[in-house]
Amino acid sequence: MYLSRTFINPRRKGAVPFLGNPQKIHAAVLQAFPQTPPTDAAEGPRVLWRLDTDDWRRPVLWTLSPERPDFSHVVEPYGWPNSGTPAETREYAPLLDRIAEGQEYVFRVTVNPAKAKVPSSEEKWDSDGKLKRGTVVPLVGANNQIAWFADRAPKWGFELLPGSVPMPETDDPENTPPAYAVEIRDSRKLKFWKGEGRGERVTLLAVTLEGKLRVKDVEVFRRSLTHGIGRAKGYGCGLISLAASR
């Protein structure tokens, strides 16, 4: 596995439309490999990516991939080709090998918090008498989004560390979660067309979380790192990056 970062120059022609379209970024990421890499976690470790825009003068495109990428096709039109480090790639195996139960890390991840809206009793059945599936809707409100993430953390092999700032009430005041050492760094509602031309219209809520976690299940956590977590992995969600806990 390889972890890469590519710096984007938003002043370059076409860079801003590129940064605002997850479909274009996804296509550019896949073009970084001589052969089309896996995009389904069931096939093994897949390509993941995330766009960090903390500093809009120098956004960073992170990728995690089973093969070493070549991002020259991104650096030349949108990046900093004349800088000393327009893009960097490091082997990811040393980090995976160091992971142990109980270790604590500072993490960052972009996720798509969503829930299934259960149809009312009158809308549960379609015209053929089949049970309808719930419609997936974005989960709004920082409190609800953090609670959603904390609730799913154990199935991804980790838990969130406790925080000192009380959590505000969620939509269910009687089930307010405890305080966690996590905060929302960015929240964007993305709208773009999927496919060639004006195909399917996609609206996506991308929320970037940063905080502290503790590893609970090493193998499950390694899988979460290499396969991604949650929905919308093809559109910049699911890549967890780690740093030493401070």
Side-chain angles (χ1 to χ4, degrees):
M1 299 290 294
Y2 298 90
L3 181 65
S4 306
R5 64 175 180 176
T6 305
F7 298 98
I8 308 297
N9 182 353
R11 295 186 177 182
R12 301 288 297 276
K13 183 179 179 181
V16 171
F18 174 74
L19 291 169
N21 192 325
Q23 179 74 11
K24 289 185 177 181
I25 299 176
H26 177 65
V29 168
L30 295 185
Q31 290 172 20
F33 307 94
Q35 296 182 339
T36 303
T39 55
D40 182 353
E43 301 176 13
R46 57 170 292 164
V47 173
L48 302 166
W49 65 270
R50 187 183 75 236
L51 181 66
D52 283 351
T53 57
D54 303 67
D55 183 356
W56 262 106
R57 297 168 299 179
R58 196 176 171 87
V60 181
L61 174 61
W62 293 92
T63 59
L64 182 65
S65 58
E67 300 177 40
R68 181 180 288 274
D70 177 2
F71 279 104
S72 56
H73 64 292
V74 175
V75 171
E76 290 298 327
Y78 306 128
W80 304 80
N82 297 322
S83 71
T85 54
E88 300 174 316
T89 297
R90 296 182 179 180
E91 292 190 3
Y92 199 59
L95 183 145
L96 293 175
D97 292 340
R98 289 197 302 269
I99 292 174
E101 184 177 344
Q103 285 180 332
E104 297 180 0
Y105 292 97
V106 174
F107 75 90
R108 173 176 280 214
V109 64
T110 295
V111 290
N112 172 225
K115 63 179 179 180
K117 183 179 180 181
V118 180
S120 65
S121 56
E122 294 80 10
E123 301 173 333
K124 287 180 66 174
W125 309 96
D126 61 20
S127 57
D128 296 327
K130 295 181 180 179
L131 185 65
K132 292 182 180 179
R133 297 181 62 183
T135 303
V136 177
V137 296
L139 197 61
V140 298
N143 44 7
N144 292 314
Q145 293 164 353
I146 292 175
W148 172 91
F149 186 75
D151 183 56
R152 285 156 179 76
K155 78 172 185 177
W156 294 326
F158 62 89
E159 64 179 359
L160 299 181
L161 295 185
S164 57
V165 179
M167 280 280 288
E169 291 183 348
T170 61
D171 288 342
D172 180 6
E174 296 182 357
N175 192 28
T176 301
Y180 296 109
V182 61
E183 62 181 5
I184 292 179
R185 303 290 293 182
D186 191 19
S187 180
R188 290 173 289 160
K189 190 174 184 180
L190 306 174
K191 296 181 179 180
F192 57 96
W193 297 98
K194 182 179 180 180
E196 296 294 330
R198 289 183 172 265
E200 178 186 352
R201 179 71 163 175
V202 178
T203 300
L204 179 69
L205 178 63
V207 177
T208 301
L209 302 171
E210 189 172 285
K212 296 183 178 181
L213 62 78
R214 180 184 295 115
V215 179
K216 298 295 290 182
D217 187 313
V218 174
E219 291 307 313
V220 172
F221 187 57
R222 283 184 181 140
R223 179 179 175 83
S224 296
L225 293 175
T226 58
H227 292 66
I229 63 173
R231 301 173 179 269
K233 298 182 186 71
Y235 300 115
C237 296
L239 169 59
I240 307 173
S241 55
L242 302 175
S245 183
R246 42 182 193 271

